[in-house]
Amino acid sequence: MGHYTTALVPWAYNSNRSLAPFWFFLMATQTLVFLMVSFALVGVETIEPSGFFDASFRHMTVDMTYSHDIAPVIVWALVFSLAAGLIFKSLQLALIVAALNVAHELMDLLVSFKHYWFGAPENKDFPVFGWGLYNSAPAVGLLIEIAICVGFIVWYVRTRRRQGYDVSRKTQVGLYAVLVGFTVFLLPMVTQSLLSLVGG
């Protein structure tokens, strides 16, 4: 959910709502995830266990070499931003798409799994990027993500008010319910799968 909240930044400054619809910004925050899922489906990358209901953060292993490692992300950010710029004929939108992809990677380095430059190296002295909190301290990672979600929502509401646009109570409740609520929902899965939690 932390990735989705970054979409509030370009949306806040798109006052006349003419640059792109909100769903476009939401999708732009998750292009790397779409790549990862696609690569996993064809066997290029792996997510274990493969079933969402069988997974717990501490025991999940991922290989995201082609979708999330540093070098590929640089390439993907350029590719997606170029595509957005050409399709919508907007340099501003191209820069936003690039920024959202970079923000995705930075947030992963903060709270998600460990990343590499390009694939897990045999040389153990090769740098590893990110704290890898989803495996080492998943509760801490999720709590940081909750704080990020709350921070972005508060910033969005205040920014819109300064611009002279009020964010309705209903919209605010919806943002908190979806972005914060879903992350809170994941907290019990730090060490146990959802299936085991419900007695499956």
Side-chain angles (χ1 to χ4, degrees), residues 18 21 27 37 45 54 58 61-62 71 81 85 90-91 95 97 105 107 117 127 136 138 142 173 175 190 196-197:
S18 62
M27 295 300 99
V37 172
E45 295 184 346
D54 299 317
R58 190 177 293 278
T61 58
V62 295
S81 63
S90 170
L91 175 60
L95 294 174
V97 169
E105 186 76 348
M107 197 170 296
W117 175 251
S136 63
L142 288 172
V173 169
L175 288 171
V190 295
S196 67
L197 287 169

Side-chain angles (χ1 to χ4, degrees), residues 30-84:
Q30 296 287 10
T31 48
L32 299 178
V33 172
F34 299 146
L35 281 175
M36 180 184 70
V37 172
S38 300
F39 289 156
L41 288 173
V42 298
V44 174
E45 295 184 346
T46 57
I47 307 169
E48 297 293 339
S50 56
F52 173 78
F53 296 105
D54 299 317
S56 69
F57 285 97
R58 190 177 293 278
H59 303 106
M60 188 181 298
T61 58
V62 295
D63 169 19
M64 306 182 292
T65 300
Y66 299 99
S67 63
H68 279 72
D69 278 355
I70 306 297
V73 166
I74 294 171
V75 175
W76 290 123
L78 291 172
V79 168
F80 291 133
S81 63
L82 181 62

Side-chain angles (χ1 to χ4, degrees), residues 1 48-49 51-52 54-62 111-113 132-143 145 182-194 197:
M1 291 296 104
E48 297 293 339
F52 173 78
D54 299 317
S56 69
F57 285 97
R58 190 177 293 278
H59 303 106
M60 188 181 298
T61 58
V62 295
V111 302
S112 182
F113 303 101
L133 291 178
Y134 274 4
N135 287 144
S136 63
V140 174
L142 288 172
L143 289 172
E145 194 159 346
F182 185 77
T183 313
V184 171
F185 168 77
L186 294 177
L187 277 170
M189 294 175 60
V190 295
T191 56
Q192 299 183 67
S193 69
L194 191 60
L197 287 169

